[in-house]
Amino acid sequence: MATTQLRKSAPGKPRFRKSWLPAHMLVWAYAVLLAIPLYYFLASAFKSNEAIFSSPLSPPTSFGFGNFRTAFESAGLGSAIVNSGLVTVFSLALTLGLAIPAAFGLARSRGRVASLVEKVFSLGFLIPTFAALFPTFLLSAVTGLFHTRLFMVLFLPATAMPLSVVILIQFMRTIPQEMEEAARIDGASTFGVLRHIYTPMCMPGIATVLLLNFLTFWNEYLYSLIIIGPDPDLRTVQVALPTLKSQIGTDYGVLTAGTILTLVPVWIMYTLLQRRMQQALVSGAVKM
Amino acid sequence: MTMASSVRPASRQAVPPAPAGPKQRRGTRTTVLAVPALAWYLIFMVGPMAAIFVIAALHWPGMLQPTSFAGLDNFRVLSDDPVFWQAVRNTGVQLIIALPVMIVCAYMVGYYVAQKPPGHRVIRYLLFVPGLISTPAKAMVFYAALSPDGLLNGALKSAGLGSLSDAWLANPDTALYCLIALDIWAGIGFTAVLFAARLDSVPEEIGEAAQLDGAGHWRAMWRIQFPVIKEYVGVVAMLQFLWTLFGSAQQVLLLTQGGPANSSTTLSFLVYEKAFMESDLGYSQAVGVVLFLAGLAGLLAIRRAFRQSY
């Protein structure tokens, strides 16, 4: 590579010399561009419309939770959070219930059928789920599950299957076969091997799959909008949130407060599991 | 996959060869465990995907209306519809601006972060934020920033540039560019994290050797590190391409509804609009077919452009 063209240079140069200055400035400028809207949101959540318009970036003068309460009540965010939570948790459980045995079966067998099935799963990355919005809606109507959360719980794991199976297979392939042989000698069944060896040893992989899908399921919008619909008793937070925006005079304090409420679960996860979350997203994209 | 199977035999040498036979047969039988997952995936994803092509060949003027076979009629209607061509143009503009800006900037930011300059932890944390936020939340951020009473106009006014303020999302000249800005704003940070993570795993000797050779950071960034991760850049570009092409429907729906005067209608929003707002189902899915083919063509082109060249 280029390293073969040797040139002499003074050793021990500091790594970030003056020539880095433009880079520092540009990257920090972008970081500020990311941070300002967040700050604006946080500050506005405690302000009234007038205060937001007159001085958008000044810190709030009082920290009342009035806007949060209004958002909670007017958009029914309370029940929306429960709905999102239900859909997310059950979808995650079903995803793992389907993906772990599938990955286990495919990782262990070297037959031609298995590698074909694996290929079919990895081709799934190329299917843009959005394109099939209308046929999926038809499917929900035909099965009589239109306007139910149940259909989302059935549907979301299917969209997560390619990524989850492929990631779990990678993890399961790293488990030495000797582990299984030892367990077999002790009389373990196939399910015993899966339960007592593969599942515990794949915990990092399972965590990756869980985090990745948690983000996708919690943040899902278009399908929830069409299939679950706008009924306040059933809709998810992502569907409820835009209803805070109105054609005639939006209350920005309430809008920003509501948006912040929908971010809380993700925020907690991210702050607790920052490193793991980044790894999860990175490995999720790499396997595409 | 090939990697794993070529590694396996080495680790198996420690085991007596006798159990190899029955084990392999048992292994094949466990493929059955993949059947539920496969069925799920075929029913809910592959099935609907295939249905697009069927519906595109039907006259279907509304959910409860009778259908009849249309052949290529929907495509003929499509090609005579100025709205469709407007959407093609908007999608083209969106991709041509958003993709290069996003990939180039994200690569540079990712390279910067991977060098671990002072404060890189703070930057990494911030960069990742758009990756966590849902599309409706991102759209609400932009709605609050760009509406007539919003952050941008407020900032312009207090900077004495009030004459520049505008109803950004309601102006046919700026609506589409606002949507593109949203894509870029959110896309750079998240993509940069992906690049930084990939660059972290490039052996350090490569960077050090370049430094010893006296390569400036610009040269090190583009001539040395970039070729090493070129294939990965291609994969990320393919992802961003798909997200932009298919995902734009959500942003458009949330922010402009395609307006004013179709100035921000993208192809994917047209699929949504025709299906759920105008109940022209055959037409809608015909656009879906076009979108699918465009996606396929784009993926192949990007793959070709980023093929490893050494």
Side-chain angles (χ1 to χ4, degrees):
Chain A
M1 231 172 291
T3 48
T4 46
Q5 340 163 324
L6 275 170
R7 262 197 284 154
K8 284 271 171 216
S9 73
K13 252 185 289 179
R15 212 154 166 199
F16 301 101
R17 300 162 295 191
K18 260 206 210 94
S19 56
W20 275 79
L21 197 62
H24 289 311
M25 280 164 56
L26 285 173
V27 174
W28 279 100
Y30 176 61
V32 167
L33 219 55
L34 288 175
I36 281 186
L38 296 179
Y39 165 76
Y40 173 72
F41 258 62
L42 214 55
S44 302
F46 297 99
K47 297 200 272 193
S48 67
N49 256 5
E50 296 80 56
I52 294 169
F53 298 157
S54 60
S55 45
L57 289 180
S58 65
T61 46
S62 66
F63 287 93
F65 285 94
N67 284 338
F68 289 93
R69 203 172 304 126
T70 313
F72 217 79
E73 282 157 10
S74 69
L77 280 185
S79 61
I81 288 175
V82 172
N83 289 333
S84 278
L86 285 174
V87 169
T88 305
V89 168
F90 282 106
S91 300
L92 284 176
L94 187 54
T95 305
L96 286 189
L98 289 168
I100 292 177
F104 172 66
L106 295 176
R108 282 165 82 255
S109 52
R110 263 165 269 141
R112 210 175 298 156
V113 184
S115 72
L116 180 75
V117 172
E118 196 183 337
K119 257 195 209 106
V120 170
F121 274 120
S122 35
L123 276 178
F125 292 119
L126 297 176
I127 298 184
T129 35
F130 159 73
L133 180 58
F134 178 69
T136 309
F137 155 80
L138 279 185
L139 186 63
S140 77
V142 168
T143 50
L145 294 173
F146 182 51
H147 278 180
T148 63
R149 288 160 294 186
L150 177 60
F151 188 83
M152 286 305 282
V153 173
L154 297 175
F155 166 73
L156 286 175
T159 64
M161 223 26 77
L163 195 65
S164 309
V165 169
V166 169
I167 287 181
L168 286 175
I169 285 181
Q170 315 264 344
F171 275 90
M172 291 195 174
R173 289 241 162 87
T174 64
I175 292 172
Q177 206 133 50
E178 289 76 9
M179 299 284 300
E180 182 179 346
E181 273 143 24
R184 289 279 182 192
I185 290 166
D186 290 348
S189 65
T190 304
F191 278 104
V193 170
L194 173 58
R195 232 186 100 202
H196 298 296
I197 297 176
Y198 277 78
T199 310
M201 286 188 78
C202 281
M203 270 312 165
I206 293 174
T208 303
V209 168
L210 269 181
L211 280 178
L212 212 55
N213 291 325
F214 164 74
L215 270 187
T216 346
F217 294 170
W218 180 267
N219 285 341
E220 210 293 317
Y221 170 60
L222 210 49
Y223 277 88
S224 309
L225 174 70
I226 293 300
I227 286 166
I228 301 181
D231 179 351
D233 290 337
L234 299 177
R235 69 184 175 190
T236 63
V237 272
Q238 309 302 344
V239 178
L241 180 60
T243 61
L244 288 173
K245 175 188 88 157
S246 76
Q247 298 295 334
I248 27 134
T250 299
D251 187 329
Y252 289 91
V254 174
L255 176 69
T256 52
T259 310
I260 288 170
L261 283 177
T262 70
L263 293 178
V264 168
V266 175
W267 214 260
I268 294 172
M269 286 286 236
Y270 182 42
T271 311
L272 289 179
L273 304 165
Q274 211 198 114
R275 210 143 254 265
R276 179 153 279 292
M277 204 118 176
Q278 294 211 355
Q279 279 168 356
L281 277 219
V282 167
S283 62
V286 176
K287 298 293 167 357
M288 149 107 192
Chain B
M1 207 181 69
T2 44
M3 265 265 287
S5 46
S6 63
V7 169
R8 265 298 155 65
S11 66
R12 234 203 298 154
Q13 277 169 0
V15 188
K23 190 173 55 204
Q24 212 147 13
R25 235 178 297 134
R26 203 170 56 219
T28 315
R29 249 191 288 147
T30 59
T31 309
V32 175
L33 290 172
V35 169
L38 188 65
W40 222 269
Y41 160 72
L42 292 177
I43 293 171
F44 288 100
M45 260 181 97
V46 179
M49 198 68 212
I52 291 176
F53 293 88
V54 178
I55 301 170
L58 297 177
H59 281 299
W60 197 351
M63 262 311 276
L64 301 174
Q65 303 295 319
T67 61
S68 58
F69 183 71
L72 293 176
D73 275 2
N74 285 320
F75 294 93
R76 225 164 282 141
V77 174
L78 204 72
S79 63
D80 290 332
D81 186 353
V83 175
F84 170 73
W85 291 110
Q86 170 100 45
V88 169
R89 229 200 50 215
N90 289 341
T91 302
V93 169
Q94 192 186 24
L95 288 172
I96 285 169
I97 298 177
L99 264 193
V101 171
M102 198 139 64
I103 297 296
V104 169
C105 291
Y107 174 70
M108 295 195 338
V109 174
Y111 179 81
Y112 176 88
V113 173
Q115 305 307 304
K116 303 200 170 40
H120 68 96
R121 272 171 218 284
V122 180
I123 293 195
R124 222 181 247 254
Y125 189 91
L126 279 174
L127 287 178
F128 198 62
V129 166
L132 298 169
I133 303 181
S134 67
T135 312
K138 272 184 264 187
M140 291 310 112
V141 170
F142 260 59
Y143 176 75
L146 295 173
S147 62
D149 304 317
L151 177 63
L152 182 60
N153 284 345
L156 283 174
K157 258 173 226 149
S158 52
L161 295 166
S163 57
L164 288 178
S165 61
D166 198 350
W168 303 100
L169 289 165
N171 182 338
D173 295 329
T174 52
L176 179 63
Y177 297 97
C178 290
L179 295 170
I180 296 175
L182 169 55
D183 270 345
I184 293 177
W185 174 78
I188 289 181
F190 174 56
T191 318
V193 175
L194 299 183
F195 286 145
R198 178 66 185 86
L199 286 166
D200 281 343
S201 66
V202 172
E204 262 188 49
E205 295 80 48
I206 292 183
E208 280 163 14
Q211 282 221 322
L212 283 178
D213 293 351
H217 58 76
W218 191 258
R219 229 181 111 79
M221 174 164 60
W222 287 112
R223 292 297 190 74
I224 292 150
Q225 304 264 35
F226 184 79
V228 177
I229 68 157
K230 193 174 163 194
E231 209 155 14
Y232 184 77
V233 178
V235 170
V236 173
M238 286 182 0
L239 267 177
Q240 284 293 357
F241 169 74
L242 282 185
W243 286 336
T244 314
L245 187 65
F246 290 95
S248 65
Q250 306 186 44
Q251 277 102 300
V252 176
L253 178 67
L254 286 160
L255 285 174
T256 66
Q257 308 254 330
N262 291 319
S263 62
S264 62
T265 300
T266 61
L267 279 177
S268 65
F269 180 69
L270 195 60
V271 176
Y272 178 90
E273 190 185 22
K274 290 288 173 188
F276 295 105
M277 291 157 127
E278 295 177 14
S279 292
D280 194 346
L281 305 171
Y283 182 113
S284 156
Q285 299 309 295
V287 181
V289 170
V290 171
L291 199 61
F292 180 81
L293 295 178
L296 208 60
L299 284 189
L300 292 176
I302 293 172
R303 221 175 100 130
R304 220 187 148 80
F306 283 92
R307 198 179 289 155
Q308 207 64 286
S309 46
Y310 58 84

